[in-house]
Amino acid sequence: MNRREREAAVRRSMDRSPPRVPPGLYADAVRRGGRLLRRRTAARRLLWLLLLAAAVAFAVWALAVQPWVAPPSETTPPLTDW
């Protein structure tokens, strides 16, 4: 099939009337799309809530344990009575 034949085939297919769409297809697509958007929104909110809970849990843990403070030295006794 050369270029002219391909162009002619494309023109013939474009000249034809478009296929008929079933009458309930639009309503089904709108309903499914709305459901999909609601699910995505719920999932996004759940993930943000989990992220917030993890951040709060980390902050509480950090305040309780204070990992930035160096532990006291246990190898030498403290210097007193100088």
Side-chain angles (χ1 to χ4, degrees):
M1 183 179 259
N2 60 19
R3 182 177 178 165
R4 287 183 189 165
E5 291 174 357
R6 281 186 287 168
E7 287 179 0
V10 168
R11 288 178 206 268
R12 280 193 307 270
S13 66
M14 290 177 67
D15 288 341
R16 283 188 251 160
S17 64
R20 296 194 55 142
V21 177
L25 184 63
Y26 176 75
D28 290 342
V30 168
R31 187 176 63 248
R32 288 179 183 169
R35 187 183 323 144
L36 181 64
L37 285 176
R38 285 190 302 276
R39 285 181 182 174
R40 282 185 184 173
T41 303
R44 191 176 302 121
R45 286 181 182 167
L46 178 65
L47 288 175
W48 277 111
L49 182 65
L50 288 174
L51 180 65
L52 178 66
V56 168
F58 176 76
V60 168
W61 170 81
L63 287 173
V65 175
Q66 295 182 351
W68 56 86
V69 176
S73 176
E74 297 176 2
T75 58
T76 59
L79 294 175
T80 56
D81 298 332
W82 269 80

